[in-house]
Amino acid sequence: MEIFTKKLTSIDLERGLVLPPDSNLEPLQPFHGTIELSTIVESSAGTRLRDPVTIHCSTRSGKLAFTRGWYAIARDAGLKSGDIVTFYQEVNGEARYKMRVRNV
């Protein structure tokens, strides 16, 4: 179940990935503060970029944003402004969530 797709900006890469306002938040349990999301990251070709990463999703800035963990994904995947990420729920033995990254 897709939660969001977003074209990245330089702010997403430098300050944390703010979830788009049209995100489907149903798969994320309601929370206040921070929640940890074990996430598998794949390229658009389906190649895994690394072991599952724990992304911290925080409401502290007043908006839902990925913080710790997100920066490692952006660095390891070589993400730049204009690249596209899709975050979705896919429950399996390793993690509950997946992120597909596409470099443009």
Side-chain angles (χ1 to χ4, degrees), residues 2 4 7 11 15-16 23 26 35-36 38 43 46 64 66-67 70-71 74 76 79 81 83 91 93 97 100 104:
E2 183 176 318
F4 70 85
K7 185 175 183 178
I11 293 172
R15 297 185 189 165
S23 297
E26 184 179 317
I35 187 173
E36 295 184 355
S38 180
S43 70
L64 282 174
F66 288 170
T67 55
W70 161 247
Y71 300 110
D76 293 348
L79 295 176
S81 183
D83 290 344
V91 179
Y97 301 96
R100 183 157 288 140
V104 293

